């Protein structure tokens, strides 16, 4: 039996992970499930999968969680420290599917206990890539990518020599506004930005797809995960979302990973790795698809991609600043305080302001310095947003 813990079990990735576990219950023992405000879902899943522990991130909801689990014998806890304790419970495989930098501390804890970390939470690699990779190496733990593009790269690299890799191309659907004229973007609403043409995901990553901040995070994620030179990382807009990434080699060959836009493929690959097993994923009919199209991203439309290149070159703690500022800018957009284009303007301004202090950005990357920079970048983003607010 594989002992599994799911951080962020109630979200889109968490639910897809449980869907796979539900199909092979005899193979898995669920140690802990964590969630946020959706107590009914968390309690129902904890009961169904006979988890030992259920954790809500919110202390004010602990009583509700306890009530929902009454009589089940399942332990209930709450708060940020409880998330870390959940990740410290012995497990073989931990899904990191909390959204945002909040996923970093429990993810690190899972690695410290030597678990295999299935990483959907790209924000933790963006904010603290070297810390995460070093923690895994030190503890003999493994990180397996779950982001579809990174799973695709990982699969294309099986048996290959990194020395032979010349380029990695990450594809982007282009998000909700890929065909909108530029003039309309400033007035884009939260509802409009929250609908994805191809993927069904949480609201935050869906909006990040419309602004291409998601792709920007993924460029940095690829840099950190595969230790790639930033110049080798390219982005192509691919509206069909069937080719997830391509790896180019020194002999001119390109290995493309093709699959339906269903996260259960990448999650299942990480769950079954190093084996491949049957997954409930549609077999593509490429004749019916007919065409796969690609185009260069419009850099004027997506400043996030330019900022990602700057962050990849600067490294240090600039990833923590980039992510923190982005998360806060997104909060402001979702709250209706700023317009769609203000998000990238805020992130750029925060990066400029905080990068001016080289001592700050180039400090050693520890959990404390990352959380400090994350905090500073959010405060700075609030100040900048105040100026931008409509
Ligand atoms: P979601 O919003 O659907 O779910 C997020 C989960 O995290 C929920 O369980 C929520 O309760 C929990 N959570 C939110 N804030 C928290 C906090 N402060 N502390 C503790 N728990 C918190 O998000 P999602 O779409 O499932 O995405 C999860 C992660 O996976 C993100 O990092 C995202 O970028 C990444 N990812 C998602 C997809 C996708 O298809 N949804 C694809 C690739 C990568
Ligand atoms: Mg992705």
């Amino acid at each position: 039996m594989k002992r599994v813990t799911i951080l962020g079990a109630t979200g889109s990735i968490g639910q897809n992970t449980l869907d796979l576990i539900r199909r092979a219950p005899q193979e898995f023992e669920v140690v802990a499930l964590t969630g946020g405000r959706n107590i009914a879902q968390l309690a129902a899943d904890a009961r169904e999968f006979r988890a030992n522990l259920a954790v809500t991130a919110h202390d004010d909801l602990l009583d509700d969680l306890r009530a929902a689990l009454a009589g089940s014998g399942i332990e209930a806890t709450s708060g940020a420290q409880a998330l870390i304790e959940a990740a410290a419970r012995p497990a073989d495989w931990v899904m990191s599917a909390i959204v945002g930098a909040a996923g970093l501390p429990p993810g690190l804890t899972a690695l410290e206990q030597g678990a295999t970390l299935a990483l959907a939470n790209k924000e933790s690699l963006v904010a603290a890539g070297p810390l995460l990779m070093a923690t895994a190496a030190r503890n003999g733990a493994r990180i397996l990518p779950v982001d579809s593009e990174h799973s695709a790269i990982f699969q294309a690299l099986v048996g290959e020599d990194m020395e032979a890799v010349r380029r990695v191309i990450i594809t982007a659907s282009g998000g909700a506004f890929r065909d909108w004229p530029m003039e309309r973007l400033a007035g884009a609403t939260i509802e409009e930005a929250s609908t994805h043409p191809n993927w069904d995901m949480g609201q935050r990553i869906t909006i990040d797809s419309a602004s291409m901040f998601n792709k920007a995070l993924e460029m940095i994620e690829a840099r950190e995960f595969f230790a790639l030179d930033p110049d080798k990382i390219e982005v192509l807009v691919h509206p069909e979302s069937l080719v997830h990434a391509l790896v180019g080699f020194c002999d001119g060959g390109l290995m493309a990973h093709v699959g339906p836009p269903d996260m259960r493929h990448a999650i299942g690959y990480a769950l079954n790795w190093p084996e491949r097993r049957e997954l409930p994923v549609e077999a593509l009919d490429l004749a019916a698809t007919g065409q796969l199209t690609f185009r260069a991203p419009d850099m004027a439309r997506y400043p996030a991609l330019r900022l990602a290149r700057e962050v990849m070159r600067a490294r240090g703690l600039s990833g923590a600043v980039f992510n923190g500022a982005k998360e806060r800018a997104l909060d402001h957009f979702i709250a209706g305080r700023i317009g769609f284009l203000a998000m990238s303007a805020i992130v750029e301004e925060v990066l400029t302001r905080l990068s001016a202090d080289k001592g700050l950005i180039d400090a050693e990357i520890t959990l404390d310095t990352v959380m400090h920079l994350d905090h500073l970048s959010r405060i700075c983003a609030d100040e900048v947003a105040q100026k931008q607010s409509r």
Side-chain angles (χ1 to χ4, degrees):
M1 289 259 265
K2 198 182 242 183
R3 295 167 301 170
V4 305
T5 281
I6 304 175
L7 307 167
T10 54
S12 161
I13 292 286
Q15 291 292 299
N16 275 311
T17 308
L18 286 174
D19 178 72
L20 296 180
I21 291 175
R22 183 179 286 120
R23 292 162 194 266
Q26 69 292 347
E27 290 176 31
F28 301 100
E29 176 193 332
V30 175
V31 177
L33 297 178
T34 86
R37 299 214 158 269
N38 192 347
I39 297 298
Q41 184 73 57
L42 178 60
D45 291 338
R47 282 179 185 273
E48 177 186 347
F49 292 92
R50 301 170 182 277
N52 300 319
L53 171 67
V55 187
T56 164
H58 306 283
D59 289 326
D60 56 316
L61 295 176
L62 180 58
D63 287 344
D64 293 354
L65 181 60
R66 283 203 175 119
L69 290 174
S72 68
I74 299 166
E75 195 181 336
T77 59
S78 69
Q81 188 56 36
L83 291 172
I84 293 174
E85 282 159 17
R89 295 265 171 118
D92 304 302
W93 190 89
V94 177
M95 168 53 81
S96 173
I98 288 173
V99 63
L104 176 62
L108 281 173
T109 303
L111 291 174
E112 277 158 9
Q113 61 128 321
T116 292
L117 189 71
L119 191 77
N121 178 251
K122 64 192 84 183
E123 296 89 343
S124 51
L125 259 186
V126 171
L131 175 63
L132 223 65
M133 300 310 277
T135 305
R138 198 174 57 243
N139 295 284
R142 210 169 242 293
I143 306 177
L144 297 173
V146 170
D147 213 346
S148 54
E149 297 77 2
H150 304 72
S151 174
I153 298 167
F154 189 70
Q155 294 181 47
L157 284 173
V158 170
E160 301 291 351
D161 180 355
M162 283 305 286
E163 292 289 311
V165 174
R166 289 292 170 274
R167 58 206 288 231
V168 160
I169 305 169
I170 298 172
T171 60
S173 67
F177 305 142
R178 66 184 174 209
D179 300 320
W180 282 34
M182 278 286 276
E183 318 75 77
R184 273 186 71 195
L185 289 182
T189 67
I190 299 135
E191 292 69 31
E192 286 164 335
S194 302
T195 330
H196 197 283
N198 305 336
W199 294 91
D200 179 11
M201 310 184 285
Q203 185 190 36
R204 297 180 71 89
I205 184 174
T206 302
I207 300 174
D208 283 349
S209 297
S211 62
M212 284 275 199
F213 264 112
N214 181 47
K215 217 43 60 181
L217 295 174
E218 289 179 357
M219 292 165 75
I220 304 169
E221 182 186 11
R223 209 235 77 77
E224 297 300 330
F225 192 88
F226 300 102
L228 289 166
D229 182 308
D231 295 335
K232 290 184 175 168
I233 301 171
E234 303 169 28
V235 172
L236 268 185
V237 174
H238 168 51
E240 294 84 8
S241 291
L242 297 179
V243 176
H244 303 301
L246 305 96
V247 178
F249 295 94
C250 55
D251 57 3
L254 273 175
M255 294 288 281
H257 178 280
V258 189
D262 183 334
M263 285 308 294
R264 291 177 303 177
H265 167 72
I267 296 168
Y269 186 79
L271 188 62
N272 298 320
W273 184 90
E275 292 170 30
R276 280 190 189 269
R277 302 252 186 108
E278 298 271 342
L279 290 172
V281 169
E282 174 204 345
L284 281 183
D285 179 351
L286 288 174
T289 304
Q291 281 194 332
L292 297 177
T293 56
F294 301 92
R295 59 179 190 248
D298 175 348
M299 297 304 276
R301 178 185 284 257
Y302 303 117
L305 299 181
R306 172 175 50 80
L307 298 177
R309 284 216 180 274
E310 290 172 16
V311 169
M312 288 195 289
R313 294 209 177 90
R315 297 207 66 203
L317 288 157
S318 60
V321 172
F322 181 71
N323 182 67
K326 192 284 296 176
E327 287 197 37
R328 212 50 200 127
L330 180 58
D331 291 340
H332 286 301
F333 176 68
I334 291 173
R337 286 189 289 266
I338 58 166
F340 184 74
L341 296 179
M343 287 192 283
S344 52
I346 290 172
V347 174
E348 180 155 19
E349 172 91 30
V350 173
L351 268 174
T352 306
R353 284 197 195 180
L354 295 185
S355 300
D357 186 345
K358 280 280 163 223
L360 206 59
I361 294 291
D362 293 335
E364 193 191 343
I365 303 177
T366 65
L367 182 57
D368 284 347
T369 56
V370 169
M371 293 322 261
H372 179 56
L373 265 289
D374 177 77
H375 179 68
L376 285 186
S377 61
R378 286 168 200 255
I379 294 174
C380 190
D382 285 349
E383 282 170 23
V384 180
Q386 197 81 43
K387 284 195 312 186
Q388 300 258 352
S389 64
R390 45 186 183 193

